[in-house]
Structures are given as structure tokens and as C-alpha cells.
Amino acid sequence: MNFKHLHYFWVAARAGGVVKAGEQLHTTPQTLSAQIKLLEERLGRRLFRKAGRQLELTDDGRVALRYADDIFSLGAELESALRQRGGGQPQHHHGR
């Protein structure tokens, strides 16, 4: 799974559509839509459906959003935990 595609889906779902999400991510709605479509193809499920001019989550989209919330919450926890360890320098391990 491409996590960039998942992130675009997550931001679009939280923002209420690709236009607002595009503003937050500094990208075009067309780019976002294309990336989300790739995620839908990968998952074999529709995540959004058109409701007039709006997008709304499908049932599968709501399931995906719950997982995305967990995934990106854990990512934020990881960053926070490592920052609190101090040092700040990337640790490079060489295979010795």
C-alpha cells in the first residue's frame, strides 16, 4: 500500500473534499483525486461517492478512515517518542 495515497485520502476525508484538502497539502484537486483513485484501485473498493458537488465516504471509506486515523496517530506518536529521547542526530547503524 502506498502511504502517500492513504495520507491524501485521509486529509481529503477529514477536510470534507479534495478542494480543501488540496489547499492544506499545497496540491491540486486533480492530483489528489488521481492519487485517491489509485488507492481505491489498490484496495478494490470505492472510498468516496459523489453527493451533488460534494464527496461523501462510502461504508468502505469509513472503515478505511478509521484505519488511517490509527495509522497516522501512531506515526505522530512515533515521532514524538523519538524526539523526547533527545540527541536529535540521526542514528546510522552500519552492519558490523
Side-chain angles (χ1 to χ4, degrees), residues 8-22 28-37 40 46-59 61-62 65:
Y8 282 174
F9 157 76
W10 184 61
V11 174
R14 290 271 157 231
V18 293
V19 174
K20 287 181 185 167
T28 67
Q30 294 81 2
T31 297
L32 273 177
S33 293
Q35 299 293 299
I36 292 168
K37 185 171 275 311
E40 290 177 327
R46 294 287 311 265
L47 303 176
F48 287 111
R49 70 173 147 259
K50 291 221 187 291
R53 293 180 56 102
Q54 301 294 319
L55 287 178
E56 66 181 31
L57 288 168
T58 62
D59 288 343
R62 282 190 284 279
L65 180 58

PDB file of all heavy atoms in Angstrom, residues 8-22 28-37 40 46-59 61-62 65:
ATOM      1  N   TYR A   8      -3.311  11.179   1.433  1.00  0.00           N
ATOM      2  CA  TYR A   8      -4.175  12.063   0.639  1.00  0.00           C
ATOM      3  C   TYR A   8      -5.643  11.758   0.892  1.00  0.00           C
ATOM      4  O   TYR A   8      -6.459  12.662   1.058  1.00  0.00           O
ATOM      5  CB  TYR A   8      -3.859  11.920  -0.852  1.00  0.00           C
ATOM      6  CG  TYR A   8      -2.603  12.649  -1.312  1.00  0.00           C
ATOM      7  CD1 TYR A   8      -2.153  12.500  -2.607  1.00  0.00           C
ATOM      8  CD2 TYR A   8      -1.883  13.484  -0.475  1.00  0.00           C
ATOM      9  CE1 TYR A   8      -1.015  13.163  -3.061  1.00  0.00           C
ATOM     10  CE2 TYR A   8      -0.748  14.149  -0.908  1.00  0.00           C
ATOM     11  CZ  TYR A   8      -0.318  13.985  -2.201  1.00  0.00           C
ATOM     12  OH  TYR A   8       0.791  14.651  -2.644  1.00  0.00           O
ATOM     13  N   PHE A   9      -5.992  10.465   0.923  1.00  0.00           N
ATOM     14  CA  PHE A   9      -7.368  10.073   1.234  1.00  0.00           C
ATOM     15  C   PHE A   9      -7.762  10.594   2.612  1.00  0.00           C
ATOM     16  O   PHE A   9      -8.833  11.177   2.798  1.00  0.00           O
ATOM     17  CB  PHE A   9      -7.510   8.543   1.182  1.00  0.00           C
ATOM     18  CG  PHE A   9      -8.673   8.032   1.981  1.00  0.00           C
ATOM     19  CD1 PHE A   9      -9.974   8.165   1.488  1.00  0.00           C
ATOM     20  CD2 PHE A   9      -8.480   7.442   3.219  1.00  0.00           C
ATOM     21  CE1 PHE A   9     -11.066   7.723   2.245  1.00  0.00           C
ATOM     22  CE2 PHE A   9      -9.558   6.998   3.963  1.00  0.00           C
ATOM     23  CZ  PHE A   9     -10.852   7.139   3.472  1.00  0.00           C
ATOM     24  N   TRP A  10      -6.880  10.394   3.593  1.00  0.00           N
ATOM     25  CA  TRP A  10      -7.155  10.775   4.981  1.00  0.00           C
ATOM     26  C   TRP A  10      -7.401  12.276   5.100  1.00  0.00           C
ATOM     27  O   TRP A  10      -8.370  12.706   5.726  1.00  0.00           O
ATOM     28  CB  TRP A  10      -5.965  10.336   5.831  1.00  0.00           C
ATOM     29  CG  TRP A  10      -6.084  10.558   7.306  1.00  0.00           C
ATOM     30  CD1 TRP A  10      -7.017  10.021   8.145  1.00  0.00           C
ATOM     31  CD2 TRP A  10      -5.213  11.340   8.114  1.00  0.00           C
ATOM     32  NE1 TRP A  10      -6.760  10.425   9.437  1.00  0.00           N
ATOM     33  CE2 TRP A  10      -5.669  11.234   9.453  1.00  0.00           C
ATOM     34  CE3 TRP A  10      -4.079  12.114   7.854  1.00  0.00           C
ATOM     35  CZ2 TRP A  10      -5.029  11.877  10.516  1.00  0.00           C
ATOM     36  CZ3 TRP A  10      -3.451  12.743   8.908  1.00  0.00           C
ATOM     37  CH2 TRP A  10      -3.927  12.626  10.216  1.00  0.00           C
ATOM     38  N   VAL A  11      -6.538  13.078   4.479  1.00  0.00           N
ATOM     39  CA  VAL A  11      -6.696  14.534   4.540  1.00  0.00           C
ATOM     40  C   VAL A  11      -7.984  14.952   3.822  1.00  0.00           C
ATOM     41  O   VAL A  11      -8.741  15.790   4.328  1.00  0.00           O
ATOM     42  CB  VAL A  11      -5.463  15.257   3.959  1.00  0.00           C
ATOM     43  CG1 VAL A  11      -5.694  16.762   3.877  1.00  0.00           C
ATOM     44  CG2 VAL A  11      -4.233  14.958   4.814  1.00  0.00           C
ATOM     45  N   ALA A  12      -8.268  14.347   2.671  1.00  0.00           N
ATOM     46  CA  ALA A  12      -9.496  14.689   1.931  1.00  0.00           C
ATOM     47  C   ALA A  12     -10.736  14.319   2.743  1.00  0.00           C
ATOM     48  O   ALA A  12     -11.711  15.086   2.790  1.00  0.00           O
ATOM     49  CB  ALA A  12      -9.521  13.980   0.579  1.00  0.00           C
ATOM     50  N   ALA A  13     -10.719  13.162   3.384  1.00  0.00           N
ATOM     51  CA  ALA A  13     -11.861  12.741   4.192  1.00  0.00           C
ATOM     52  C   ALA A  13     -12.058  13.681   5.381  1.00  0.00           C
ATOM     53  O   ALA A  13     -13.180  14.082   5.687  1.00  0.00           O
ATOM     54  CB  ALA A  13     -11.664  11.302   4.676  1.00  0.00           C
ATOM     55  N   ARG A  14     -10.967  14.057   6.034  1.00  0.00           N
ATOM     56  CA  ARG A  14     -11.043  14.956   7.192  1.00  0.00           C
ATOM     57  C   ARG A  14     -11.436  16.379   6.775  1.00  0.00           C
ATOM     58  O   ARG A  14     -12.136  17.064   7.503  1.00  0.00           O
ATOM     59  CB  ARG A  14      -9.698  14.986   7.916  1.00  0.00           C
ATOM     60  CG  ARG A  14      -9.399  13.697   8.626  1.00  0.00           C
ATOM     61  CD  ARG A  14      -9.957  13.744  10.040  1.00  0.00           C
ATOM     62  NE  ARG A  14     -10.166  12.407  10.539  1.00  0.00           N
ATOM     63  CZ  ARG A  14     -11.303  11.972  11.079  1.00  0.00           C
ATOM     64  NH1 ARG A  14     -12.346  12.748  11.156  1.00  0.00           N
ATOM     65  NH2 ARG A  14     -11.418  10.757  11.531  1.00  0.00           N
ATOM     66  N   ALA A  15     -10.962  16.817   5.608  1.00  0.00           N
ATOM     67  CA  ALA A  15     -11.218  18.185   5.144  1.00  0.00           C
ATOM     68  C   ALA A  15     -12.604  18.326   4.518  1.00  0.00           C
ATOM     69  O   ALA A  15     -13.096  19.432   4.332  1.00  0.00           O
ATOM     70  CB  ALA A  15     -10.147  18.614   4.143  1.00  0.00           C
ATOM     71  N   GLY A  16     -13.205  17.201   4.151  1.00  0.00           N
ATOM     72  CA  GLY A  16     -14.525  17.262   3.531  1.00  0.00           C
ATOM     73  C   GLY A  16     -14.489  17.365   2.018  1.00  0.00           C
ATOM     74  O   GLY A  16     -15.491  17.698   1.403  1.00  0.00           O
ATOM     75  N   GLY A  17     -13.344  17.094   1.408  1.00  0.00           N
ATOM     76  CA  GLY A  17     -13.265  17.100  -0.049  1.00  0.00           C
ATOM     77  C   GLY A  17     -11.875  17.413  -0.547  1.00  0.00           C
ATOM     78  O   GLY A  17     -10.993  17.806   0.221  1.00  0.00           O
ATOM     79  N   VAL A  18     -11.702  17.237  -1.859  1.00  0.00           N
ATOM     80  CA  VAL A  18     -10.362  17.389  -2.434  1.00  0.00           C
ATOM     81  C   VAL A  18      -9.941  18.844  -2.602  1.00  0.00           C
ATOM     82  O   VAL A  18      -8.745  19.130  -2.636  1.00  0.00           O
ATOM     83  CB  VAL A  18     -10.231  16.629  -3.778  1.00  0.00           C
ATOM     84  CG1 VAL A  18     -10.317  15.129  -3.563  1.00  0.00           C
ATOM     85  CG2 VAL A  18     -11.241  17.093  -4.791  1.00  0.00           C
ATOM     86  N   VAL A  19     -10.898  19.766  -2.701  1.00  0.00           N
ATOM     87  CA  VAL A  19     -10.505  21.175  -2.860  1.00  0.00           C
ATOM     88  C   VAL A  19      -9.851  21.685  -1.578  1.00  0.00           C
ATOM     89  O   VAL A  19      -8.732  22.211  -1.604  1.00  0.00           O
ATOM     90  CB  VAL A  19     -11.714  22.048  -3.264  1.00  0.00           C
ATOM     91  CG1 VAL A  19     -11.333  23.526  -3.277  1.00  0.00           C
ATOM     92  CG2 VAL A  19     -12.236  21.629  -4.632  1.00  0.00           C
ATOM     93  N   LYS A  20     -10.533  21.484  -0.446  1.00  0.00           N
ATOM     94  CA  LYS A  20      -9.957  21.927   0.841  1.00  0.00           C
ATOM     95  C   LYS A  20      -8.686  21.147   1.163  1.00  0.00           C
ATOM     96  O   LYS A  20      -7.717  21.706   1.668  1.00  0.00           O
ATOM     97  CB  LYS A  20     -10.974  21.754   1.963  1.00  0.00           C
ATOM     98  CG  LYS A  20     -12.094  22.763   1.926  1.00  0.00           C
ATOM     99  CD  LYS A  20     -13.044  22.544   3.079  1.00  0.00           C
ATOM    100  CE  LYS A  20     -14.230  23.482   2.966  1.00  0.00           C
ATOM    101  NZ  LYS A  20     -15.324  23.107   3.871  1.00  0.00           N
ATOM    102  N   ALA A  21      -8.691  19.850   0.877  1.00  0.00           N
ATOM    103  CA  ALA A  21      -7.501  19.037   1.134  1.00  0.00           C
ATOM    104  C   ALA A  21      -6.338  19.514   0.277  1.00  0.00           C
ATOM    105  O   ALA A  21      -5.202  19.574   0.743  1.00  0.00           O
ATOM    106  CB  ALA A  21      -7.790  17.568   0.859  1.00  0.00           C
ATOM    107  N   GLY A  22      -6.615  19.866  -0.976  1.00  0.00           N
ATOM    108  CA  GLY A  22      -5.572  20.371  -1.863  1.00  0.00           C
ATOM    109  C   GLY A  22      -4.936  21.634  -1.326  1.00  0.00           C
ATOM    110  O   GLY A  22      -3.720  21.824  -1.417  1.00  0.00           O
ATOM    111  N   THR A  28      -3.047  20.157  -6.282  1.00  0.00           N
ATOM    112  CA  THR A  28      -4.305  20.404  -6.980  1.00  0.00           C
ATOM    113  C   THR A  28      -5.338  19.331  -6.649  1.00  0.00           C
ATOM    114  O   THR A  28      -4.981  18.188  -6.349  1.00  0.00           O
ATOM    115  CB  THR A  28      -4.104  20.428  -8.505  1.00  0.00           C
ATOM    116  OG1 THR A  28      -3.734  19.104  -8.922  1.00  0.00           O
ATOM    117  CG2 THR A  28      -3.040  21.425  -8.919  1.00  0.00           C
ATOM    118  N   PRO A  29      -6.619  19.695  -6.728  1.00  0.00           N
ATOM    119  CA  PRO A  29      -7.664  18.692  -6.546  1.00  0.00           C
ATOM    120  C   PRO A  29      -7.533  17.531  -7.543  1.00  0.00           C
ATOM    121  O   PRO A  29      -7.803  16.381  -7.190  1.00  0.00           O
ATOM    122  CB  PRO A  29      -8.966  19.471  -6.783  1.00  0.00           C
ATOM    123  CG  PRO A  29      -8.621  20.888  -6.473  1.00  0.00           C
ATOM    124  CD  PRO A  29      -7.173  21.048  -6.874  1.00  0.00           C
ATOM    125  N   GLN A  30      -7.074  17.832  -8.752  1.00  0.00           N
ATOM    126  CA  GLN A  30      -6.903  16.786  -9.770  1.00  0.00           C
ATOM    127  C   GLN A  30      -5.852  15.767  -9.330  1.00  0.00           C
ATOM    128  O   GLN A  30      -6.034  14.556  -9.494  1.00  0.00           O
ATOM    129  CB  GLN A  30      -6.511  17.405 -11.121  1.00  0.00           C
ATOM    130  CG  GLN A  30      -7.584  18.257 -11.756  1.00  0.00           C
ATOM    131  CD  GLN A  30      -7.664  19.689 -11.199  1.00  0.00           C
ATOM    132  OE1 GLN A  30      -6.880  20.092 -10.330  1.00  0.00           O
ATOM    133  NE2 GLN A  30      -8.620  20.458 -11.677  1.00  0.00           N
ATOM    134  N   THR A  31      -4.751  16.266  -8.791  1.00  0.00           N
ATOM    135  CA  THR A  31      -3.701  15.374  -8.303  1.00  0.00           C
ATOM    136  C   THR A  31      -4.222  14.508  -7.163  1.00  0.00           C
ATOM    137  O   THR A  31      -4.006  13.297  -7.145  1.00  0.00           O
ATOM    138  CB  THR A  31      -2.476  16.185  -7.820  1.00  0.00           C
ATOM    139  OG1 THR A  31      -1.937  16.886  -8.947  1.00  0.00           O
ATOM    140  CG2 THR A  31      -1.404  15.297  -7.213  1.00  0.00           C
ATOM    141  N   LEU A  32      -4.920  15.143  -6.220  1.00  0.00           N
ATOM    142  CA  LEU A  32      -5.480  14.390  -5.101  1.00  0.00           C
ATOM    143  C   LEU A  32      -6.449  13.322  -5.578  1.00  0.00           C
ATOM    144  O   LEU A  32      -6.382  12.180  -5.139  1.00  0.00           O
ATOM    145  CB  LEU A  32      -6.231  15.335  -4.154  1.00  0.00           C
ATOM    146  CG  LEU A  32      -5.418  16.010  -3.081  1.00  0.00           C
ATOM    147  CD1 LEU A  32      -6.282  16.965  -2.291  1.00  0.00           C
ATOM    148  CD2 LEU A  32      -4.786  14.998  -2.167  1.00  0.00           C
ATOM    149  N   SER A  33      -7.342  13.693  -6.468  1.00  0.00           N
ATOM    150  CA  SER A  33      -8.328  12.734  -6.984  1.00  0.00           C
ATOM    151  C   SER A  33      -7.644  11.548  -7.649  1.00  0.00           C
ATOM    152  O   SER A  33      -8.048  10.394  -7.450  1.00  0.00           O
ATOM    153  CB  SER A  33      -9.267  13.413  -7.984  1.00  0.00           C
ATOM    154  OG  SER A  33     -10.075  14.365  -7.328  1.00  0.00           O
ATOM    155  N   ALA A  34      -6.604  11.824  -8.416  1.00  0.00           N
ATOM    156  CA  ALA A  34      -5.879  10.750  -9.104  1.00  0.00           C
ATOM    157  C   ALA A  34      -5.205   9.825  -8.102  1.00  0.00           C
ATOM    158  O   ALA A  34      -5.226   8.598  -8.260  1.00  0.00           O
ATOM    159  CB  ALA A  34      -4.850  11.341 -10.071  1.00  0.00           C
ATOM    160  N   GLN A  35      -4.609  10.398  -7.062  1.00  0.00           N
ATOM    161  CA  GLN A  35      -3.930   9.587  -6.055  1.00  0.00           C
ATOM    162  C   GLN A  35      -4.933   8.738  -5.266  1.00  0.00           C
ATOM    163  O   GLN A  35      -4.667   7.576  -4.960  1.00  0.00           O
ATOM    164  CB  GLN A  35      -3.132  10.477  -5.094  1.00  0.00           C
ATOM    165  CG  GLN A  35      -2.052  11.292  -5.761  1.00  0.00           C
ATOM    166  CD  GLN A  35      -0.932  10.453  -6.318  1.00  0.00           C
ATOM    167  OE1 GLN A  35      -0.258   9.745  -5.598  1.00  0.00           O
ATOM    168  NE2 GLN A  35      -0.717  10.523  -7.615  1.00  0.00           N
ATOM    169  N   ILE A  36      -6.079   9.322  -4.945  1.00  0.00           N
ATOM    170  CA  ILE A  36      -7.119   8.585  -4.218  1.00  0.00           C
ATOM    171  C   ILE A  36      -7.668   7.458  -5.090  1.00  0.00           C
ATOM    172  O   ILE A  36      -7.923   6.354  -4.613  1.00  0.00           O
ATOM    173  CB  ILE A  36      -8.225   9.539  -3.728  1.00  0.00           C
ATOM    174  CG1 ILE A  36      -7.658  10.450  -2.635  1.00  0.00           C
ATOM    175  CG2 ILE A  36      -9.442   8.758  -3.226  1.00  0.00           C
ATOM    176  CD1 ILE A  36      -8.537  11.632  -2.268  1.00  0.00           C
ATOM    177  N   LYS A  37      -7.809   7.733  -6.384  1.00  0.00           N
ATOM    178  CA  LYS A  37      -8.287   6.693  -7.306  1.00  0.00           C
ATOM    179  C   LYS A  37      -7.311   5.515  -7.341  1.00  0.00           C
ATOM    180  O   LYS A  37      -7.731   4.357  -7.370  1.00  0.00           O
ATOM    181  CB  LYS A  37      -8.480   7.268  -8.713  1.00  0.00           C
ATOM    182  CG  LYS A  37      -9.097   6.281  -9.696  1.00  0.00           C
ATOM    183  CD  LYS A  37      -9.477   6.935 -10.991  1.00  0.00           C
ATOM    184  CE  LYS A  37     -10.823   7.587 -10.988  1.00  0.00           C
ATOM    185  NZ  LYS A  37     -11.934   6.805 -10.488  1.00  0.00           N
ATOM    186  N   GLU A  40      -7.979   3.522  -4.291  1.00  0.00           N
ATOM    187  CA  GLU A  40      -9.209   2.750  -4.467  1.00  0.00           C
ATOM    188  C   GLU A  40      -8.957   1.521  -5.345  1.00  0.00           C
ATOM    189  O   GLU A  40      -9.454   0.426  -5.038  1.00  0.00           O
ATOM    190  CB  GLU A  40     -10.311   3.620  -5.086  1.00  0.00           C
ATOM    191  CG  GLU A  40     -10.846   4.677  -4.142  1.00  0.00           C
ATOM    192  CD  GLU A  40     -11.882   5.578  -4.777  1.00  0.00           C
ATOM    193  OE1 GLU A  40     -11.802   5.851  -5.993  1.00  0.00           O
ATOM    194  OE2 GLU A  40     -12.798   6.015  -4.057  1.00  0.00           O
ATOM    195  N   ARG A  46     -14.450   1.390  -3.560  1.00  0.00           N
ATOM    196  CA  ARG A  46     -14.701   2.837  -3.661  1.00  0.00           C
ATOM    197  C   ARG A  46     -14.703   3.414  -2.255  1.00  0.00           C
ATOM    198  O   ARG A  46     -15.360   2.876  -1.364  1.00  0.00           O
ATOM    199  CB  ARG A  46     -16.072   3.106  -4.309  1.00  0.00           C
ATOM    200  CG  ARG A  46     -16.196   2.692  -5.771  1.00  0.00           C
ATOM    201  CD  ARG A  46     -15.449   3.612  -6.720  1.00  0.00           C
ATOM    202  NE  ARG A  46     -15.738   5.011  -6.497  1.00  0.00           N
ATOM    203  CZ  ARG A  46     -16.660   5.702  -7.157  1.00  0.00           C
ATOM    204  NH1 ARG A  46     -17.394   5.135  -8.089  1.00  0.00           N
ATOM    205  NH2 ARG A  46     -16.848   6.978  -6.902  1.00  0.00           N
ATOM    206  N   LEU A  47     -13.964   4.484  -2.054  1.00  0.00           N
ATOM    207  CA  LEU A  47     -13.878   5.105  -0.740  1.00  0.00           C
ATOM    208  C   LEU A  47     -14.755   6.349  -0.629  1.00  0.00           C
ATOM    209  O   LEU A  47     -15.189   6.712   0.462  1.00  0.00           O
ATOM    210  CB  LEU A  47     -12.420   5.454  -0.424  1.00  0.00           C
ATOM    211  CG  LEU A  47     -11.453   4.265  -0.469  1.00  0.00           C
ATOM    212  CD1 LEU A  47     -10.026   4.725  -0.235  1.00  0.00           C
ATOM    213  CD2 LEU A  47     -11.855   3.189   0.524  1.00  0.00           C
ATOM    214  N   PHE A  48     -14.986   6.991  -1.765  1.00  0.00           N
ATOM    215  CA  PHE A  48     -15.853   8.174  -1.821  1.00  0.00           C
ATOM    216  C   PHE A  48     -16.926   7.952  -2.873  1.00  0.00           C
ATOM    217  O   PHE A  48     -16.725   7.208  -3.836  1.00  0.00           O
ATOM    218  CB  PHE A  48     -15.063   9.424  -2.245  1.00  0.00           C
ATOM    219  CG  PHE A  48     -14.145   9.973  -1.188  1.00  0.00           C
ATOM    220  CD1 PHE A  48     -12.769   9.897  -1.352  1.00  0.00           C
ATOM    221  CD2 PHE A  48     -14.633  10.606  -0.061  1.00  0.00           C
ATOM    222  CE1 PHE A  48     -11.901  10.424  -0.414  1.00  0.00           C
ATOM    223  CE2 PHE A  48     -13.775  11.133   0.894  1.00  0.00           C
ATOM    224  CZ  PHE A  48     -12.411  11.049   0.717  1.00  0.00           C
ATOM    225  N   ARG A  49     -18.041   8.647  -2.699  1.00  0.00           N
ATOM    226  CA  ARG A  49     -19.045   8.742  -3.762  1.00  0.00           C
ATOM    227  C   ARG A  49     -19.456  10.203  -3.851  1.00  0.00           C
ATOM    228  O   ARG A  49     -19.383  10.942  -2.872  1.00  0.00           O
ATOM    229  CB  ARG A  49     -20.243   7.832  -3.484  1.00  0.00           C
ATOM    230  CG  ARG A  49     -21.114   8.270  -2.344  1.00  0.00           C
ATOM    231  CD  ARG A  49     -22.388   7.420  -2.233  1.00  0.00           C
ATOM    232  NE  ARG A  49     -22.758   7.314  -0.831  1.00  0.00           N
ATOM    233  CZ  ARG A  49     -22.515   6.262  -0.061  1.00  0.00           C
ATOM    234  NH1 ARG A  49     -21.920   5.203  -0.544  1.00  0.00           N
ATOM    235  NH2 ARG A  49     -22.854   6.266   1.205  1.00  0.00           N
ATOM    236  N   LYS A  50     -19.864  10.592  -5.042  1.00  0.00           N
ATOM    237  CA  LYS A  50     -20.314  11.968  -5.248  1.00  0.00           C
ATOM    238  C   LYS A  50     -21.710  12.120  -4.654  1.00  0.00           C
ATOM    239  O   LYS A  50     -22.566  11.265  -4.822  1.00  0.00           O
ATOM    240  CB  LYS A  50     -20.355  12.302  -6.731  1.00  0.00           C
ATOM    241  CG  LYS A  50     -18.994  12.393  -7.372  1.00  0.00           C
ATOM    242  CD  LYS A  50     -18.964  13.559  -8.333  1.00  0.00           C
ATOM    243  CE  LYS A  50     -17.686  13.604  -9.136  1.00  0.00           C
ATOM    244  NZ  LYS A  50     -16.513  13.938  -8.387  1.00  0.00           N
ATOM    245  N   ALA A  51     -21.906  13.204  -3.936  1.00  0.00           N
ATOM    246  CA  ALA A  51     -23.227  13.566  -3.408  1.00  0.00           C
ATOM    247  C   ALA A  51     -23.441  15.010  -3.826  1.00  0.00           C
ATOM    248  O   ALA A  51     -23.018  15.935  -3.147  1.00  0.00           O
ATOM    249  CB  ALA A  51     -23.261  13.404  -1.896  1.00  0.00           C
ATOM    250  N   GLY A  52     -24.030  15.192  -5.006  1.00  0.00           N
ATOM    251  CA  GLY A  52     -24.103  16.539  -5.584  1.00  0.00           C
ATOM    252  C   GLY A  52     -22.704  16.979  -5.959  1.00  0.00           C
ATOM    253  O   GLY A  52     -21.989  16.258  -6.638  1.00  0.00           O
ATOM    254  N   ARG A  53     -22.318  18.148  -5.454  1.00  0.00           N
ATOM    255  CA  ARG A  53     -20.954  18.633  -5.723  1.00  0.00           C
ATOM    256  C   ARG A  53     -19.981  18.186  -4.641  1.00  0.00           C
ATOM    257  O   ARG A  53     -18.800  18.500  -4.698  1.00  0.00           O
ATOM    258  CB  ARG A  53     -20.959  20.158  -5.821  1.00  0.00           C
ATOM    259  CG  ARG A  53     -21.722  20.662  -7.039  1.00  0.00           C
ATOM    260  CD  ARG A  53     -21.694  22.180  -7.097  1.00  0.00           C
ATOM    261  NE  ARG A  53     -20.335  22.687  -7.097  1.00  0.00           N
ATOM    262  CZ  ARG A  53     -19.680  23.120  -8.161  1.00  0.00           C
ATOM    263  NH1 ARG A  53     -20.269  23.102  -9.332  1.00  0.00           N
ATOM    264  NH2 ARG A  53     -18.448  23.575  -8.067  1.00  0.00           N
ATOM    265  N   GLN A  54     -20.479  17.509  -3.629  1.00  0.00           N
ATOM    266  CA  GLN A  54     -19.651  17.078  -2.512  1.00  0.00           C
ATOM    267  C   GLN A  54     -19.220  15.631  -2.692  1.00  0.00           C
ATOM    268  O   GLN A  54     -19.794  14.884  -3.473  1.00  0.00           O
ATOM    269  CB  GLN A  54     -20.446  17.189  -1.198  1.00  0.00           C
ATOM    270  CG  GLN A  54     -20.938  18.580  -0.877  1.00  0.00           C
ATOM    271  CD  GLN A  54     -19.810  19.545  -0.588  1.00  0.00           C
ATOM    272  OE1 GLN A  54     -18.846  19.199   0.087  1.00  0.00           O
ATOM    273  NE2 GLN A  54     -19.917  20.756  -1.105  1.00  0.00           N
ATOM    274  N   LEU A  55     -18.204  15.244  -1.944  1.00  0.00           N
ATOM    275  CA  LEU A  55     -17.821  13.838  -1.837  1.00  0.00           C
ATOM    276  C   LEU A  55     -18.251  13.360  -0.461  1.00  0.00           C
ATOM    277  O   LEU A  55     -18.106  14.083   0.520  1.00  0.00           O
ATOM    278  CB  LEU A  55     -16.301  13.678  -1.947  1.00  0.00           C
ATOM    279  CG  LEU A  55     -15.669  13.855  -3.310  1.00  0.00           C
ATOM    280  CD1 LEU A  55     -14.161  13.715  -3.191  1.00  0.00           C
ATOM    281  CD2 LEU A  55     -16.214  12.848  -4.301  1.00  0.00           C
ATOM    282  N   GLU A  56     -18.772  12.160  -0.409  1.00  0.00           N
ATOM    283  CA  GLU A  56     -19.035  11.581   0.902  1.00  0.00           C
ATOM    284  C   GLU A  56     -18.408  10.198   0.954  1.00  0.00           C
ATOM    285  O   GLU A  56     -18.231   9.541  -0.078  1.00  0.00           O
ATOM    286  CB  GLU A  56     -20.521  11.541   1.224  1.00  0.00           C
ATOM    287  CG  GLU A  56     -21.348  10.645   0.377  1.00  0.00           C
ATOM    288  CD  GLU A  56     -22.838  10.678   0.753  1.00  0.00           C
ATOM    289  OE1 GLU A  56     -23.322  11.717   1.216  1.00  0.00           O
ATOM    290  OE2 GLU A  56     -23.492   9.646   0.557  1.00  0.00           O
ATOM    291  N   LEU A  57     -18.062   9.789   2.151  1.00  0.00           N
ATOM    292  CA  LEU A  57     -17.426   8.486   2.335  1.00  0.00           C
ATOM    293  C   LEU A  57     -18.440   7.369   2.094  1.00  0.00           C
ATOM    294  O   LEU A  57     -19.588   7.465   2.507  1.00  0.00           O
ATOM    295  CB  LEU A  57     -16.886   8.356   3.761  1.00  0.00           C
ATOM    296  CG  LEU A  57     -15.648   9.180   4.097  1.00  0.00           C
ATOM    297  CD1 LEU A  57     -15.401   9.178   5.590  1.00  0.00           C
ATOM    298  CD2 LEU A  57     -14.437   8.664   3.351  1.00  0.00           C
ATOM    299  N   THR A  58     -17.996   6.324   1.438  1.00  0.00           N
ATOM    300  CA  THR A  58     -18.779   5.099   1.346  1.00  0.00           C
ATOM    301  C   THR A  58     -18.601   4.347   2.663  1.00  0.00           C
ATOM    302  O   THR A  58     -17.793   4.742   3.514  1.00  0.00           O
ATOM    303  CB  THR A  58     -18.278   4.214   0.188  1.00  0.00           C
ATOM    304  OG1 THR A  58     -16.918   3.852   0.468  1.00  0.00           O
ATOM    305  CG2 THR A  58     -18.353   4.933  -1.154  1.00  0.00           C
ATOM    306  N   ASP A  59     -19.304   3.233   2.827  1.00  0.00           N
ATOM    307  CA  ASP A  59     -19.097   2.408   4.019  1.00  0.00           C
ATOM    308  C   ASP A  59     -17.640   1.940   4.086  1.00  0.00           C
ATOM    309  O   ASP A  59     -17.017   1.961   5.149  1.00  0.00           O
ATOM    310  CB  ASP A  59     -20.035   1.198   4.012  1.00  0.00           C
ATOM    311  CG  ASP A  59     -21.486   1.595   4.276  1.00  0.00           C
ATOM    312  OD1 ASP A  59     -21.732   2.721   4.771  1.00  0.00           O
ATOM    313  OD2 ASP A  59     -22.379   0.780   3.979  1.00  0.00           O
ATOM    314  N   GLY A  61     -15.152   3.474   2.763  1.00  0.00           N
ATOM    315  CA  GLY A  61     -14.371   4.669   3.065  1.00  0.00           C
ATOM    316  C   GLY A  61     -14.320   4.964   4.551  1.00  0.00           C
ATOM    317  O   GLY A  61     -13.293   5.373   5.079  1.00  0.00           O
ATOM    318  N   ARG A  62     -15.448   4.727   5.237  1.00  0.00           N
ATOM    319  CA  ARG A  62     -15.463   4.937   6.693  1.00  0.00           C
ATOM    320  C   ARG A  62     -14.550   3.935   7.402  1.00  0.00           C
ATOM    321  O   ARG A  62     -13.862   4.295   8.356  1.00  0.00           O
ATOM    322  CB  ARG A  62     -16.900   4.866   7.233  1.00  0.00           C
ATOM    323  CG  ARG A  62     -17.682   6.155   6.957  1.00  0.00           C
ATOM    324  CD  ARG A  62     -18.997   6.179   7.706  1.00  0.00           C
ATOM    325  NE  ARG A  62     -19.989   5.309   7.077  1.00  0.00           N
ATOM    326  CZ  ARG A  62     -20.723   5.634   6.015  1.00  0.00           C
ATOM    327  NH1 ARG A  62     -20.573   6.826   5.470  1.00  0.00           N
ATOM    328  NH2 ARG A  62     -21.597   4.799   5.518  1.00  0.00           N
ATOM    329  N   LEU A  65     -11.041   5.090   6.761  1.00  0.00           N
ATOM    330  CA  LEU A  65     -10.737   6.287   7.546  1.00  0.00           C
ATOM    331  C   LEU A  65     -10.384   5.919   8.984  1.00  0.00           C
ATOM    332  O   LEU A  65      -9.447   6.483   9.553  1.00  0.00           O
ATOM    333  CB  LEU A  65     -11.912   7.265   7.517  1.00  0.00           C
ATOM    334  CG  LEU A  65     -11.717   8.561   8.311  1.00  0.00           C
ATOM    335  CD1 LEU A  65     -10.492   9.330   7.828  1.00  0.00           C
ATOM    336  CD2 LEU A  65     -12.973   9.416   8.227  1.00  0.00           C
TER     337      LEU A  65
END
